[in-house]
Amino acid sequence: MAFLEINNVSKKFGTTEAVSDFNLHVEKGELVSFLGPSGCGKTTTLRMVAGFEVPTGGRIVMDGRDITDLPPNQRDVGMVFQSYALFPNMTVAGNIGFGLKVMKKPAEEINQRVSEMLELINMPKYAERFPYQLSGGQQQRVALARALALRPEMLLLDEPLSALDAKIRVSLRAEIRSIQQKLGITAIYVTHDQEEALSLSDRVVVMNTGRMEQVGTPFEIYNFPTTSFVANFVGTLNTAEVEVTDPAGGLVGMDGVQFVSSDEHVKSRRKGDKVRISIRPERFSFVTEGEKENVVDCRIENITFLGSVVRIQMTIGNQKFNMDTFNRPSLALPEIGDQRQVTCSSKAVLVLKD
Amino acid sequence: MKKFNIWPWIILLIGMVYFFLPLIATFEFSLKMIKDRYTFEAYRVAFTDSKFFLNFGYSVLWAVLTMICSTLLVVPTAYWVHWKMPNARPYVEFVTLMPFVVPAVTLTYGLLSLYGSPPIVLIGSPILLIAGYIVLSLPYMFRAVDTGLRAIDVRTLTEAALSLGAGWGTILTQVIFPNLRVAILSGIFLTFAIVMGEFTFASLLSWPAFGPYLEEIGSMRAYTPQALSVVSFMLTWISIGLLQLIGRGRGQEQVAGAH
């Protein structure tokens, strides 16, 4: 049995359905991200696990115990908020020790646990500081320590890095992940940042308009998106509507251009069916020699320099596609307006469910 | 450089004369109890009257009771409105503005006729008086606390405390009250100043207080009431001064703490 089971959970606010039919089993020690644009229901789902919202339907079971209707202060979960939510009237030590004080633990135990937690977040000298004397990143680390001080069964993080600047975001997310793994604590991480979700999760749940679009490892989500929403939301992606011309051979075509796809879903279609395919920009490359699969003509439209990557916009048939290529000093970039041939593997051509 | 504009200063001057002249006149008059000399004789007389201390003491008692009850009523209410029912805020605010709409006399007569006969008889108990004062203090208390609550993220702080296992009592006493200290104090000082100078309620409900006492000796003597008026003004100013002092001391902390 999974550690956390979210079964058929839905939530309505008035007539709007914020979350519908959410099903997820989280294993002990796993970090699962909820990824999606704002308003997709990811935070609402997290808040139902935390106990701040009561589901309209469905059950939430944690460690074999039904917690659906349990108030938040009896749930044994730690929560980290986007706005840190440190108590402004208490010192760092006061904040971290708050939960233990509420539980009426002896002062000695509180002090010991507080210094342990300060050690964990690498801020042993900050015990007597007040929140307003700390930077955003430090405040969020204290908030993390506060949430973990009670040794909760589960850690919930609601966009914990969204209020921080880019550099700190990257270093703190690595720190959060390493602390989570060190303690082996089960965690749910809500974010709208796909890079964040992909880099620190064991599994990612992509959500849109209150529904789960896809659940999978970061590798699966990125490489094998099953819906066009996931394909577009995670990473940059080329999508195109094509017609199935030869289901058995995996052939699809548009504007007189043929692609061959090794995706099983082509075989189950009939000739003449319209489907959407996706191809990641980094799967394209210029034809050098020997490639036979998916060699297509294109016209170079634009070239954007993105640092380590160069993004080339091109037209294939009548459709715009992006191609990403690593930036090497030896790279011979085409000119805008050039006619070239590009290629991609048949494995790169994926058929989307909708 | 910008041209010096004299008009705002002239208007300010007129305003200050309008405000301070009567005060200075009152003060000057209060010093003239003994002919041809400036003395504090009127103050000496005022302060040696045992009835002064009795009435003043009662007023302080009423003020303190009002401050406590009003805080206990307003803080949880305003907190709950912020946390659970933000849509109800305008209505609650409207209710707190009642003392500006309904005159004290009307309110007192309303209280007297409602609680003067069975089933609930409260006449003769100070509950009616304190209740009336609480109503008077509402606009000041509510607004002060409301502003304080806006400055902190009530919702998230409450949720953070809840997820750490805290109950409502703990959240109110350890998280909400301490962070509203300045706001509550400013509400309390204004309440104190208002109750100390209040006349209608105490007079109509026949309770000893500073206001009716001032009115009583005002009709009998010439100099002492002026002296007491000045004292009463000073009291209000001290309250406001303390308020500014405390507000400033913590203010910077709170502004910095918001980021």
Side-chain angles (χ1 to χ4, degrees):
Chain A
M1 200 170 66
F3 181 72
L4 177 77
E5 296 182 10
I6 306 176
N7 295 324
N8 307 98
V9 160
S10 63
K11 175 72 188 177
K12 275 188 182 160
F13 292 109
T15 52
T16 33
E17 192 150 57
V19 177
S20 47
D21 198 30
F22 192 96
N23 280 288
L24 181 73
H25 287 191
V26 181
E27 298 301 328
K28 195 157 181 67
E30 199 181 15
L31 192 156
V32 177
S33 303
F34 295 173
L35 173 66
S38 55
C40 73
K42 56 189 192 300
T43 296
T44 307
T45 310
L46 186 84
R47 291 172 60 79
M48 287 192 282
V49 178
F52 300 135
E53 307 284 356
V54 179
T56 320
R59 309 307 295 173
I60 300 171
V61 180
M62 192 168 86
D63 204 11
R65 186 168 66 134
D66 189 324
I67 58 165
T68 317
D69 301 311
L70 217 58
N73 51 3
Q74 290 169 29
R75 287 204 180 195
D76 204 13
V77 295
M79 179 114 176
V80 176
F81 300 84
Q82 180 179 347
S83 56
Y84 326 132
L86 294 179
F87 306 124
N89 56 312
M90 298 177 203
T91 59
V92 166
N95 268 283
I96 296 175
F98 181 81
L100 297 156
K101 214 173 118 194
V102 167
M103 293 187 74
K104 304 213 159 47
K105 298 274 184 199
E108 204 173 301
E109 190 185 328
I110 298 178
N111 289 339
Q112 199 203 327
R113 184 72 182 146
V114 167
S115 30
E116 253 175 64
M117 296 317 295
L118 286 169
E119 224 36 80
L120 184 76
I121 56 166
N122 255 322
M123 290 174 63
K125 294 209 176 95
Y126 290 82
E128 295 313 313
R129 299 275 188 99
F130 279 92
Y132 69 91
Q133 296 169 312
L134 304 176
S135 72
Q138 290 171 329
Q139 288 191 52
Q140 197 57 299
R141 273 148 73 193
V142 174
L144 180 68
R146 180 180 68 176
L148 292 170
L150 279 173
R151 295 192 177 86
E153 297 267 22
M154 181 139 205
L155 179 64
L156 306 176
L157 303 112
D158 185 9
E159 306 231 9
L161 306 177
S162 298
L164 300 169
D165 56 60
K167 268 235 161 78
I168 308 229
R169 237 177 5 231
V170 174
S171 69
L172 195 51
R173 91 179 170 217
E175 203 173 327
I176 288 176
R177 176 60 162 166
S178 94
I179 288 174
Q180 181 263 333
Q181 287 179 321
K182 195 154 124 195
L183 302 177
I185 189 169
T186 315
I188 296 180
Y189 190 107
V190 164
T191 179
H192 62 262
D193 182 337
Q194 45 120 347
E195 192 187 311
E196 221 168 273
L198 295 177
S199 67
L200 57 63
S201 320
D202 292 306
R203 278 193 299 157
V204 179
V205 179
V206 184
M207 292 183 72
N208 185 31
T209 60
R211 290 170 194 285
M212 305 169 81
E213 290 275 333
Q214 191 177 350
V215 185
T217 63
F219 186 82
E220 287 165 354
I221 295 282
Y222 188 82
N223 290 306
F224 310 109
T226 55
T227 68
S228 50
F229 176 80
V230 176
N232 283 309
F233 192 75
V234 181
T236 353
L237 199 83
N238 300 301
T239 59
E241 193 171 316
V242 294
E243 199 180 296
V244 177
T245 50
D246 177 7
L251 286 179
V252 295
M254 54 161 213
D255 314 327
V257 183
Q258 288 268 344
F259 282 105
V260 58
S261 167
S262 54
D263 192 324
E264 290 297 312
H265 290 95
V266 185
K267 294 194 171 66
S268 57
R269 300 298 177 116
R270 267 180 293 179
K271 189 171 153 65
D273 277 0
K274 296 256 190 246
V275 292
R276 275 194 96 71
I277 55 158
S278 75
I279 306 168
R280 290 263 175 227
E282 65 270 24
R283 302 300 292 268
F284 278 116
S285 61
F286 288 117
V287 170
T288 44
E289 54 195 83
E291 287 101 341
K292 292 206 185 74
E293 228 171 41
N294 288 334
V295 174
V296 294
D297 292 319
C298 73
R299 182 179 186 274
I300 307 299
E301 299 291 343
N302 202 1
I303 298 169
T304 320
F305 185 68
L306 301 173
S308 62
V309 167
V310 179
R311 175 160 297 166
I312 298 164
Q313 273 183 2
M314 57 196 181
T315 320
I316 300 174
N318 294 321
Q319 300 251 12
K320 285 226 164 28
F321 282 83
N322 286 317
M323 169 167 79
D324 283 356
T325 173
F326 274 118
N327 176 22
R328 281 180 292 260
S330 60
L331 188 72
L333 286 173
E335 297 282 318
I336 290 170
D338 279 3
Q339 297 286 341
R340 298 286 287 264
Q341 282 195 314
V342 290
T343 182
C344 70
S345 148
S346 64
K347 288 188 192 121
V349 183
L350 302 174
V351 176
L352 299 171
K353 266 198 291 198
D354 47 67
Chain B
M1 222 181 100
K2 236 172 101 181
K3 221 178 125 187
F4 180 74
N5 190 348
I6 192 140
W7 287 106
W9 293 101
I10 292 180
I11 291 165
L12 181 71
L13 195 74
I14 294 171
M16 285 177 69
V17 168
Y18 179 79
F19 182 76
F20 282 107
L21 205 60
L23 261 180
I24 295 165
T26 306
F27 182 60
E28 199 260 346
F29 184 76
S30 74
L31 297 177
K32 292 208 292 197
M33 193 171 179
I34 296 171
K35 222 174 169 198
D36 301 330
R37 266 202 304 152
Y38 282 142
T39 60
F40 284 96
E41 181 62 15
Y43 293 84
R44 197 193 58 77
V45 172
F47 288 134
T48 46
D49 184 355
S50 64
K51 272 171 78 186
F52 163 77
F53 286 103
L54 181 79
N55 285 291
F56 194 82
Y58 266 112
S59 268
V60 171
L61 176 69
W62 306 143
V64 169
L65 286 174
T66 308
M67 279 149 60
I68 294 169
C69 296
S70 189
T71 307
L72 291 178
L73 175 73
V74 170
V75 176
T77 308
Y79 165 65
W80 197 255
V81 167
H82 269 260
W83 152 239
K84 285 286 184 192
M85 311 187 291
N87 295 333
R89 213 190 67 85
Y91 302 104
V92 176
E93 190 171 10
F94 177 76
V95 170
T96 64
L97 290 179
M98 274 304 161
F100 290 148
V101 185
V102 182
V105 181
T106 317
L107 194 60
T108 323
Y109 277 114
L111 286 173
L112 281 173
S113 56
L114 185 61
Y115 296 110
S117 53
I120 308 167
V121 181
L122 290 176
I123 288 188
S125 126
I127 292 176
L128 268 196
L129 182 71
I130 300 300
Y133 283 160
I134 290 173
V135 173
L136 279 192
S137 77
L138 278 181
Y140 308 98
M141 277 306 277
F142 182 79
R143 275 166 180 257
V145 172
D146 186 58
T147 312
L149 284 167
R150 276 160 192 254
I152 58 172
D153 188 350
V154 176
R155 196 190 165 92
T156 324
L157 287 182
T158 304
E159 288 180 351
L162 276 174
S163 76
L164 293 166
W168 294 111
T170 314
I171 294 177
L172 271 175
T173 54
Q174 294 193 33
V175 179
I176 301 301
F177 270 101
N179 286 305
L180 288 181
R181 209 186 63 181
V182 178
I184 294 172
L185 282 176
S186 62
I188 275 181
F189 280 128
L190 285 171
T191 303
F192 182 76
I194 287 159
V195 173
M196 288 311 287
E198 209 281 334
F199 169 76
T200 320
F201 276 98
S203 170
L204 291 180
L205 295 171
S206 329
W207 283 97
F210 187 55
Y213 170 73
L214 199 63
E215 194 269 341
E216 188 195 320
I217 60 162
S219 60
M220 300 189 311
R221 295 188 200 159
Y223 295 95
T224 9
Q226 311 303 330
L228 288 176
S229 287
V230 172
V231 169
S232 154
F233 254 107
M234 298 294 279
L235 215 66
T236 310
W237 282 356
I238 290 168
S239 295
I240 292 171
L242 280 174
L243 193 148
Q244 292 289 330
L245 209 68
I246 293 161
R248 197 175 303 147
R250 281 276 299 182
Q252 286 166 337
E253 233 173 74
Q254 289 204 330
V255 168
H259 293 282

